[in-house]
Amino acid sequence: MTFIGKAIHISIDLALVSTCLAGIKRNTGLTFKTESFQNETAKVYTTRYLNIGESLYDSAVASCGSSKYFVRK
């Protein structure tokens, strides 16, 4: 696998983990504690990373909500 292929694979994996964390946040209220980082840059990038998961989660929910294959109960 080439370098670009591995980079794409890792990027998708990171997006899936972020989306999973967003789902945990929405369903349980548990969220990642970014205040524990001493480095301000790490806090900023972690928050951005988690926001990507939030937007992916919202997109997936909206897509499923408008699909004929899913119903709300």
Side-chain angles (χ1 to χ4, degrees):
M1 191 180 271
T2 64
F3 174 75
I4 294 173
K6 285 185 181 184
I8 291 171
H9 179 77
I10 291 171
S11 298
I12 291 171
D13 286 346
L14 288 171
L16 288 173
V17 168
S18 181
T19 306
C20 180
L21 290 173
I24 290 170
K25 179 180 176 183
R26 295 284 175 92
N27 291 320
T28 65
L30 296 172
T31 186
F32 192 75
K33 188 176 178 182
T34 58
E35 295 85 24
S36 62
F37 292 124
Q38 299 294 326
N39 189 350
E40 195 65 34
T41 306
K43 288 181 191 179
V44 169
Y45 283 113
T46 303
T47 303
R48 286 183 185 176
Y49 171 69
L50 294 173
N51 287 339
I52 290 170
E54 291 278 338
S55 64
L56 290 172
Y57 184 80
D58 289 339
S59 297
V61 169
S63 176
C64 291
S66 64
S67 172
K68 66 179 182 177
Y69 298 108
F70 292 92
V71 296
R72 293 197 188 269
K73 289 189 175 185

